[in-house]
Amino acid sequence: MPQPQNGDRDRNDSSQRTTQKETAGQGSANQQPQAQDNRRKNESSSNWLAKTGMMSGLAVVGFVLLLFALGQAVGFDLLGLFAEAVSSQTGRWLVVALFALLLIGVAERGLRGTLRRV
């Protein structure tokens, strides 16, 4: 059996180093999509929260305009009645309860999104 020469050993060593570099490259390549995926999740959560806040604000403005327009149509101050109802103690607690329902809905939607990703 012929003995390997120094040149053969050098080639074997260099091929092992190349394999190690490729393996290390794959590890960082796998980490990069995970980091991008985490950024996308954070961005999508932020976008969703901003969109929900904007839609809630628009819903409140729309509700106020609806009460005002209906009140003007029937000649009755519906907006004033609603403001008086909300300013009472019971009305305040009803507003707190509606806000709590909104928070529960946000949490439930976030939980559903988390479970889908797993």
Side-chain angles (χ1 to χ4, degrees):
M1 228 185 213
Q3 294 291 329
Q5 296 176 0
N6 286 340
D8 290 339
R9 276 188 234 159
D10 289 340
R11 276 185 246 140
N12 289 339
D13 289 343
S14 66
S15 67
Q16 287 175 349
R17 280 186 231 129
T18 306
T19 305
Q20 289 172 350
K21 286 180 184 177
E22 289 173 359
T23 306
Q26 288 174 356
S28 67
N30 288 340
Q31 291 172 355
Q32 189 176 11
Q34 289 174 348
Q36 289 176 349
D37 193 36
N38 287 339
R39 270 188 248 127
R40 285 185 192 139
K41 287 178 187 176
N42 290 339
E43 287 175 4
S44 66
S45 297
S46 299
N47 289 340
W48 182 82
L49 189 58
K51 192 175 184 178
T52 301
M54 185 181 71
M55 295 302 276
S56 298
L58 288 174
V60 168
V61 169
F63 183 70
V64 167
L65 285 175
L66 176 71
L67 285 178
F68 179 74
L70 287 176
Q72 293 296 314
V74 296
F76 201 64
D77 189 19
L78 292 177
L79 189 57
L81 285 174
F82 179 75
E84 287 177 23
V86 170
S87 64
S88 72
Q89 188 171 1
T90 305
R92 289 182 197 141
W93 284 112
L94 288 174
V95 169
V96 170
L98 287 173
F99 184 69
L101 283 175
L102 177 69
L103 291 178
I104 290 169
V106 167
E108 182 181 83
R109 187 167 188 167
L111 181 63
R112 258 192 262 144
T114 302
L115 292 177
R116 261 190 252 143
R117 290 180 197 135
V118 173

